[in-house]
Amino acid sequence: MISPTKSHAGTIASIAEISRETADLPHIENEHIRIASILEQSLNEIYLFDTQTLRFEYVNKCAQRNLGYSMDMLRMMTPMDIKPDFDEVSLRIMADPLLRGEKEVLIFRTVHLRADGTSYPVEVHLQLFEQSGWLGFLAMVLDIAVRCRAEAALRESEAWFRTIVNTIPQLAWIAAADGSRSWYNQRWYDYTGTTPQEMIGHGWQKVHDPHMLPKVIRSWKDSTAAEHAFDMEFPLRGADGQFRIFLTRAEPLKNSEGHVVQWFGTNMDVNEQRLRERAHRETEQQLQVVTENMGEGLVISDFTGQLLQWNPAALKMYGISAATDVLLQIKNLTRMYELSTIQGIVVPIDEWPLTRVLRGEHLHDLELRVRRFDEDWERILSYSGAVSHYGNGQGLAFLTIQDITERKNVEEALRDAKINLEWEVSERTGQLLAKSKELENFCYSVSHDLRAPLRGIDGYSRLLLEDYYEQFDEEGRSFLKNVRAATNHMTDLIKDLLAYSRLERRETSTKPIELSSFVSDLLDRCHTDSKNVCLTVEVGNFHVSVDSEGLTIALRNLIDNAIKFSKYSPAPTIEIRAQVAGNRCIFSIRDNGIGFDMRFYDKIFEIFQRLHRAKEYPGTGIGLAMVQKAMERMGGRVWAESQLGAGAIFYLELPLSSEVPTITDRIQR
């Protein structure tokens, strides 16, 4: 394609030469007319204007038409009137190299302003013109509106192309016919962190894995030599230094003669996809290893009943040597096996486990007997299974199998042993109940029979002291007092034993009670020893679910103990509190008495166990045992904390009630 600039410069030079020849030979009038006719008919605009005044001396018809001015009007105008980009100073500065002879031609672009105010782009070729001592500027002007539109369209097309290739998610590039790359889209630079200078020619090799690069180069050279499409996967290094796998494709762009002029290539990031595929393959291999080594049998079928897979455990349970022997329709297995219930009822094929799963049932631990015809054996197998769906309504039926033959045999043996044990337990329980009844009767008889002589001893000893007091010396009187004290202690002991026995035998009646009023009523009934005690009670009005009589026994014993063991304190103090902890109530009774050594904690709730001398702190040693027994029977518990000489605190844990007692319950209580 010939350059327009070069052509126009030649034309201007030719016109100037002809003009000079015309000036030198004014007598050749025909030649002058011919040249003038050419200038007038030229499709380019031609201007001649004075270098001093800058006024137009000549403007051809084409220019007059384009501008919309007559020649008379143009003679009064200068180039600044039609070139809004210039003023006189800027025009003279631009034309100065022509006047000094530094340049022969000036070529530049500007716009011409028409008479109607519109404008159009032009390309100006400006040079000096000299004739008979007159010096002017000759301007050959081309209307380049069409060219500008074409260039704008080309720029727009290029911008559109660049926008597209910079928008696509792939890395994109263009290579020359020899394979050297000449252009990359922005995503290439963003990913690789490189610059255009680094990527010139074969710079793309810098971002390749060195171990993979020789293979890539060979493949690329083979494609460019054969002019065939390039298609390959390989890793590319990113700006962070990490490699990611890309699927690279390049297509040859050929001219009309079928020769490759360029290559257009893209690199698509498939790293995540390949990693997923690799993970999927690894998962499949892991699942294969699991199914082959799992203890449970696994059978997989499609929706038609075609058996697709048996794992080794399933094959072993069914006595099969190779999976290929049973990869068939489930109905064909009826010639090899019979299934029946545990009771021995034969199960038809329509009720076989896999058939039921294929109907949509979810099986869990279905136990059946399996008998093989040709080997004459029977096993008990447990089946579980379901259908698992995946895309577009497809799915598989899974059946897991456990051989429970040995377990069922053990269960049968245990069942027989249990029946025998239950019979023995029943016999033994009857014997124990009979012994318990005998013991209860004995306890009652002993306590009843012991009371009569005790009353006699107490009565006669009292009479001796009253009627024969003066006849005894001091030692005799002391002996009688000791007899009476022992008799009273024995009476109290028998009474507490009977109470403990009744507590063990009595029926518990659990009901909700309002704790604050219950404690208040109980304290009102306490003996007068509590008058000298500083008593603090902090019990909320919440409800507990207890046996009221059992709770009365427990609280009365604990309060009596607190009063008894703090009576020698300078200021006896007892604190009774209750608070909620979750769904339980924690009830506490604290005193500032003598306390006890925690080393003997295990003994304090045992019957007849005492940690202090009876002379100083009388009692039978049964009270705390009754507290523990009462708490056990109502579903609570008791525990204590103490330091010797620093008092003790006893805790009761009681279940909270979700019900509010009725008026009848309050009246009965």
Side-chain angles (χ1 to χ4, degrees), residues 505-536:
R505 298 192 312 272
R506 67 180 290 274
E507 293 286 338
T508 59
S509 177
T510 301
K511 58 185 178 181
I513 65 168
E514 200 274 309
L515 195 58
S516 60
S517 60
F518 182 87
V519 172
S520 178
D521 293 344
L522 180 63
L523 291 174
D524 289 342
R525 297 197 299 272
C526 280
H527 49 70
T528 56
D529 289 346
S530 62
K531 291 181 179 179
N532 298 325
V533 176
C534 178
L535 186 63
T536 301

Side-chain angles (χ1 to χ4, degrees), residues 391-627:
N392 299 324
Q394 297 179 334
L396 295 171
F398 294 85
L399 202 63
T400 58
I401 312 167
Q402 288 183 307
D403 188 341
I404 59 172
T405 307
E406 185 176 350
R407 191 189 80 193
K408 297 302 287 188
N409 291 337
V410 171
E411 288 178 357
E412 188 71 24
L414 287 175
R415 190 160 45 248
D416 293 341
K418 181 182 177 183
I419 292 173
N420 294 332
L421 182 61
E422 287 177 349
W423 182 84
E424 292 179 2
V425 169
S426 178
E427 285 288 310
R428 186 61 177 164
T429 301
Q431 294 173 5
L432 290 174
L433 288 174
K435 292 293 184 181
S436 177
K437 187 66 176 176
E438 290 179 12
L439 185 61
E440 183 181 337
N441 293 335
F442 173 77
C443 183
Y444 179 79
S445 298
V446 167
S447 62
H448 183 272
D449 293 343
L450 284 176
R451 281 185 173 185
L454 283 174
R455 282 194 296 270
I457 294 172
D458 180 65
Y460 284 117
S461 61
R462 180 173 54 79
L463 289 173
L464 284 173
L465 284 174
E466 290 177 356
D467 297 342
Y468 299 94
Y469 183 83
E470 297 297 334
Q471 298 180 21
F472 289 102
D473 59 11
E474 192 61 36
E475 185 178 14
R477 294 170 190 157
S478 176
F479 288 159
L480 282 175
K481 289 179 181 178
N482 289 338
V483 168
R484 294 209 67 208
T487 303
N488 290 333
H489 180 71
M490 186 65 176
T491 301
D492 291 340
L493 191 60
I494 292 171
K495 185 174 93 173
D496 287 350
L497 275 172
L498 286 175
Y500 186 83
S501 177
R502 283 195 300 271
L503 181 62
E504 179 72 38
R505 298 192 312 272
R506 67 180 290 274
E507 293 286 338
T508 59
S509 177
T510 301
K511 58 185 178 181
I513 65 168
E514 200 274 309
L515 195 58
S516 60
S517 60
F518 182 87
V519 172
S520 178
D521 293 344
L522 180 63
L523 291 174
D524 289 342
R525 297 197 299 272
C526 280
H527 49 70
T528 56
D529 289 346
S530 62
K531 291 181 179 179
N532 298 325
V533 176
C534 178
L535 186 63
T536 301
V537 180
E538 294 181 3
V539 179
N541 58 347
F542 42 84
H543 298 79
V544 292
S545 181
V546 295
D547 173 39
S548 59
E549 186 174 345
L551 183 59
T552 299
I553 292 171
L555 291 180
R556 185 183 292 276
N557 275 281
L558 291 177
I559 293 172
D560 287 347
N561 276 358
I563 294 173
K564 177 170 64 175
F565 289 109
S566 60
K567 65 181 179 180
Y568 296 120
S569 298
T573 301
I574 297 175
E575 299 174 359
I576 300 175
R577 291 185 171 85
Q579 61 183 1
V580 174
N583 62 348
R584 313 289 282 180
C585 167
I586 306 301
F587 194 96
S588 64
I589 299 175
R590 179 193 295 270
D591 64 66
N592 63 341
I594 60 172
F596 61 86
D597 193 333
M598 288 294 286
R599 289 181 300 169
F600 306 110
Y601 177 82
D602 293 339
K603 293 184 177 182
I604 63 174
F605 294 108
E606 293 180 8
I607 195 167
F608 300 134
Q609 292 294 327
R610 295 175 52 82
L611 301 182
H612 307 285
R613 291 188 301 173
K615 184 176 181 181
E616 296 177 355
Y617 301 99
T620 61
I622 299 176
L624 289 180
M626 292 183 69
V627 172

Side-chain angles (χ1 to χ4, degrees), residues 152-167:
L154 180 60
R155 287 193 299 273
E156 182 179 353
S157 177
E158 290 180 352
W160 176 77
F161 171 75
R162 292 180 183 275
T163 300
I164 289 178
V165 294
N166 282 324
T167 303

Side-chain angles (χ1 to χ4, degrees), residues 307-467:
L307 300 172
L308 304 177
Q309 183 178 354
W310 292 63
N311 75 335
L315 295 174
K316 183 178 179 181
M317 291 177 193
Y318 277 83
I320 300 168
S321 58
T324 54
D325 296 340
V326 285
L327 293 181
L328 36 76
Q329 290 288 329
I330 184 174
K331 61 183 180 182
N332 295 329
L333 293 179
T334 57
R335 296 194 297 269
M336 301 172 61
Y337 303 96
E338 177 188 82
L339 272 64
S340 60
T341 64
I342 298 298
Q343 295 74 26
I345 302 173
V346 176
V347 177
I349 183 68
D350 291 343
E351 295 300 320
W352 278 27
L354 189 55
T355 308
R356 293 174 60 179
V357 169
L358 289 170
R359 286 203 301 264
E361 292 188 48
H362 190 101
L363 298 185
H364 183 69
D365 295 337
L366 173 64
E367 297 177 358
L368 295 174
R369 295 181 183 274
V370 178
R371 183 168 71 90
R372 182 161 177 171
F373 298 134
D374 58 347
E375 296 185 7
D376 195 23
W377 55 252
E378 182 179 277
R379 294 172 183 160
I380 302 175
L381 304 181
S382 175
Y383 297 89
S384 298
V387 169
S388 179
H389 292 278
Y390 56 94
N392 299 324
Q394 297 179 334
L396 295 171
F398 294 85
L399 202 63
T400 58
I401 312 167
Q402 288 183 307
D403 188 341
I404 59 172
T405 307
E406 185 176 350
R407 191 189 80 193
K408 297 302 287 188
N409 291 337
V410 171
E411 288 178 357
E412 188 71 24
L414 287 175
R415 190 160 45 248
D416 293 341
K418 181 182 177 183
I419 292 173
N420 294 332
L421 182 61
E422 287 177 349
W423 182 84
E424 292 179 2
V425 169
S426 178
E427 285 288 310
R428 186 61 177 164
T429 301
Q431 294 173 5
L432 290 174
L433 288 174
K435 292 293 184 181
S436 177
K437 187 66 176 176
E438 290 179 12
L439 185 61
E440 183 181 337
N441 293 335
F442 173 77
C443 183
Y444 179 79
S445 298
V446 167
S447 62
H448 183 272
D449 293 343
L450 284 176
R451 281 185 173 185
L454 283 174
R455 282 194 296 270
I457 294 172
D458 180 65
Y460 284 117
S461 61
R462 180 173 54 79
L463 289 173
L464 284 173
L465 284 174
E466 290 177 356
D467 297 342

